[in-house]
Amino acid sequence: MKKLFLVIGVLSMPFLNAQDITDALRYSQQDIMGTARFRGMSGAFGALGGDLSALQINPAGSAVFLNSYGSMTLSSTSIDNDSNYNDDIFFNGFNNNSSSNLNFNQFGAIFIYDYFNEESSGINRISLGLTYDQTADNADELLSFGQSRNSIDSFFLEEAQGVPLNLITRRAGESVNELYTFLGETEGYDAQQVFLGHETFIIEADDLDNPNNTSYFSNIAPGRFDQEYYYESTGINGKFTLNLGAQINQDFYFGFNLNSHFISYDRVTEFFEENNNTGSNINQVLFTNRLSTSGAGFSAQVGGIAKVSQMLRLGASYESPTWHYIEEETTQRLETFSNADGRAIVNPNVINIFPEYELRTPASYTGSIAILFSQRGLISLDYSYKDYSSIKLSSDFGNDFSDLNADIDTNLHGASVVRIGSEWRNGNWSVRGGYSFEESPYKNDFILGDKNGFSVGAGYSFEKFRFDVAYDYVEQRRVERFFPNSSFNNFAVVDSYRDTLTFTLGMNF
């Protein structure tokens, strides 16, 4: 069936899922991704360089290369999610979901111009880099189920109170699509939710004969409810980088990045509820929501590396905030079933297209130290800091994000990241290992826990080529709220485990 397209103007919508803290964080954080060598050391490359993905941390790393170099990386990731259902009364329903995906997550090249006199002062080497790095893998899947005393009817009742009955009642000859579109254009996303709930008989007006009625009750009787929540997301975030670096006076390296970012995120959620409660006119509810997000942004980085001695290197870098421009589309479908009256389905063939908004992510500061043991091996440490309370949303279309920005300021804080890595060589062979710790950006780390990870890897060099492989493992706990910011506050506690095999082929030229 041909779909109608709806463009909504000025919005103030707490239930547009991409415009909440959780999703603002998704576009503000970067995972440890990139080449196998980089991942094998858990990304601790801020004072080292000499790897294309090291430019993510410190752009001065390009000038450490002795010759032009290119690489391409392929990763296979497995995701395990252990979910425990929670409704603030019960804590029940354990389930495990496993999924996997394959991505080309890095490619690029560094071109070295090394024709300066190495004995002279000033610039000894110039580097020019063009790279692509995946910065986040948005693929995820979970299924959570359990029994609750809270019904999804509270989601629709909360929005309905104060809404006139005649606003959400179809006129003679008016279709579901037409009224859903009209409400989106004139009243916004919240009014659409009230219409869906009323049209499927979840909620009913206290006075059906009064078109100005503004109070509603539920057709779902209280009691116990069997509930399931399914979540699946796909997509990646990434950036293309133009890098310029230089070696100065033999012992200093300087670099600068211009980054072009992109966001691709698609999510579908399905919530199912069933009851056999006495007096309940609605016995089943299935609510499906789809969200599609795309965005583009830009940022800049600057950094330096100093050879303090043959054994010691220090690095420092700064990444500016990223200014993302984001667009979103949603579709919805609501289905109910009554043991007495049968099935009701509302499936608006309408895509809600929301106005573009701007997301400014935090700046990042990194300090690094590396100890080199001649050509035998090295140990490296990076420390990074981001103030997530500085995340800001804004719009050129008059959207008011003041409440959300205030929530971000209240609930988020500055967070630290520590990465430790080591590499040891024997002839053409290298072995690597690393550990990473990322502090939760939430003041209440029950919402999102600290992230811990470790990695191992190996590499082999032959003639002009180098082949590297790495395995890394990351775990983190989070709360997955089914309908954020609503009075229906059921959620799942999810323990997420990701392990990745990464393969990189590099070549000197």
Side-chain angles (χ1 to χ4, degrees):
M1 183 180 294
K2 184 178 180 181
K3 291 188 175 182
L4 301 175
F5 288 86
L6 164 64
V7 179
I8 298 178
V10 178
L11 305 174
S12 176
M13 304 180 309
F15 294 116
L16 177 55
N17 289 340
Q19 295 176 0
D20 62 29
I21 296 178
T22 301
D23 293 289
L25 275 174
R26 176 180 293 109
Y27 310 132
S28 300
Q29 295 180 301
Q30 296 186 14
D31 296 329
I32 297 174
M33 309 188 80
T35 68
R37 185 176 179 226
F38 183 81
R39 297 182 78 145
M41 293 176 55
S42 292
F45 265 85
L48 292 174
D51 184 276
L52 287 181
S53 292
L55 275 61
Q56 294 185 51
I57 307 298
N58 190 338
S62 64
V64 177
F65 281 93
L66 299 178
N67 45 259
S68 298
Y69 180 81
S71 67
M72 180 178 292
T73 300
L74 176 70
S75 289
S76 174
T77 300
S78 297
I79 307 161
D80 276 319
N81 285 323
D82 293 338
S83 61
N84 284 279
Y85 194 92
N86 190 294
D87 74 341
D88 291 337
I89 298 175
F90 298 111
F91 194 90
N92 59 80
F94 172 83
N95 190 55
N96 172 265
N97 272 91
S98 298
S99 58
S100 60
N101 62 77
L102 190 70
N103 285 313
F104 280 102
N105 61 18
Q106 179 277 327
F107 59 83
I110 292 290
F111 303 91
I112 298 298
Y113 301 90
D114 194 14
Y115 52 85
F116 299 98
N117 184 350
E118 294 188 358
E119 301 300 324
S120 67
S121 60
I123 297 176
N124 309 118
R125 182 185 304 142
I126 289 178
S127 58
L128 177 65
L130 297 170
T131 67
Y132 159 76
D133 280 282
Q134 183 181 337
T135 57
D137 184 353
N138 294 324
D140 204 2
E141 184 178 6
L142 68 89
L143 173 66
S144 185
F145 57 84
Q147 193 174 81
S148 174
R149 291 178 184 169
N150 300 327
S151 171
I152 195 174
D153 64 355
S154 61
F155 173 85
F156 298 99
L157 278 174
E158 181 181 35
E159 293 302 317
Q161 306 308 327
V163 175
L165 177 60
N166 63 349
L167 182 66
I168 57 171
T169 302
R170 284 188 287 153
R171 308 297 191 263
E174 186 177 31
S175 70
V176 166
N177 291 0
E178 290 170 338
L179 182 51
Y180 184 86
T181 299
F182 170 79
L183 291 172
E185 290 176 332
T186 60
E187 304 296 327
Y189 184 84
D190 293 341
Q192 290 178 322
Q193 309 316 295
V194 182
F195 168 65
L196 292 176
H198 182 258
E199 192 72 14
T200 54
F201 310 107
I202 294 175
I203 57 174
E204 191 62 82
D206 286 344
D207 185 355
L208 285 172
D209 298 323
N210 179 10
N212 296 317
N213 174 87
T214 57
S215 60
Y216 299 81
F217 65 91
S218 172
N219 278 317
I220 299 177
R224 295 202 175 197
F225 304 90
D226 293 316
Q227 297 173 339
E228 291 183 2
Y229 174 81
Y230 176 75
Y231 169 111
E232 182 181 16
S233 63
T234 58
I236 61 173
N237 302 343
K239 67 180 179 182
F240 296 90
T241 298
L242 173 64
N243 168 270
L244 180 65
Q247 183 190 40
I248 303 171
N249 294 335
Q250 302 299 316
D251 294 328
F252 298 96
Y253 303 87
F254 176 82
F256 179 76
N257 287 348
L258 287 176
N259 304 311
S260 175
H261 299 254
F262 69 87
I263 292 170
S264 176
Y265 178 71
D266 293 281
R267 177 177 67 208
V268 58
T269 63
E270 288 188 344
F271 181 86
F272 176 75
E273 176 180 289
E274 185 174 28
N275 77 84
N276 289 307
N277 300 332
T278 302
S280 188
N281 293 324
I282 298 296
N283 301 103
Q284 291 181 0
V285 178
L286 178 62
F287 192 21
T288 303
N289 286 270
R290 297 179 183 271
L291 168 70
S292 179
T293 303
S294 61
F298 65 91
S299 68
Q301 291 170 272
V302 62
I305 297 173
K307 286 184 179 178
V308 179
S309 67
Q310 290 298 316
M311 192 175 184
L312 182 64
R313 291 188 185 183
L314 299 177
S317 60
Y318 166 79
E319 181 171 5
S320 74
T322 301
W323 288 268
H324 287 293
Y325 295 88
I326 297 175
E327 296 179 339
E328 292 165 335
E329 300 177 359
T330 65
T331 59
Q332 298 185 291
R333 183 180 191 274
L334 183 60
E335 179 179 346
T336 61
F337 178 80
S338 168
N339 291 339
D341 301 319
R343 194 170 302 276
I345 299 174
V346 177
N347 183 25
N349 291 296
V350 175
I351 298 177
N352 293 316
I353 303 175
F354 297 94
E356 179 183 81
Y357 66 93
E358 180 181 315
L359 171 68
R360 188 193 71 192
T361 69
S364 177
Y365 307 84
T366 301
S368 311
I369 183 171
I371 301 174
L372 284 70
F373 302 93
S374 185
Q375 297 298 314
R376 293 173 298 164
L378 58 89
I379 299 173
S380 180
L381 170 68
D382 288 358
Y383 171 81
S384 299
Y385 179 83
K386 281 185 178 181
D387 182 5
Y388 288 95
S389 66
S390 66
I391 294 173
K392 290 291 183 291
L393 289 86
S394 60
S395 170
D396 293 331
F397 294 91
N399 297 4
D400 183 8
F401 292 102
S402 57
D403 289 343
L404 178 53
N405 288 331
D407 287 343
I408 290 172
D409 186 61
T410 299
N411 292 285
L412 303 184
H413 66 167
S416 300
V417 177
V418 177
R419 298 179 293 269
I420 303 171
S422 183
E423 179 180 58
W424 297 90
R425 305 184 185 96
N426 183 10
N428 292 340
W429 287 94
S430 301
V431 293
R432 308 175 184 108
Y435 169 77
S436 63
F437 169 82
E438 184 173 343
E439 185 182 7
S440 171
Y442 281 92
K443 294 177 182 177
N444 178 5
D445 61 6
F446 177 73
I447 300 173
L448 181 67
D450 299 332
K451 182 187 292 186
N452 288 275
F454 70 84
S455 60
V456 293
Y460 182 78
S461 299
F462 53 100
E463 297 180 352
K464 292 184 177 182
F465 296 93
R466 188 170 79 195
F467 180 75
D468 297 297
V469 61
Y471 168 82
D472 62 272
Y473 169 88
V474 175
E475 62 181 24
Q476 189 174 33
R477 172 172 287 192
R478 75 177 190 267
V479 166
E480 181 67 35
R481 295 196 176 275
F482 306 150
F483 295 92
N485 304 314
S486 76
S487 59
F488 181 59
N489 53 13
N490 290 17
F491 61 90
V493 177
V494 182
D495 291 300
S496 185
Y497 310 94
R498 289 177 179 250
D499 55 352
T500 304
L501 277 174
T502 303
F503 306 91
T504 298
L505 179 63
M507 182 182 72
N508 295 307
F509 58 91

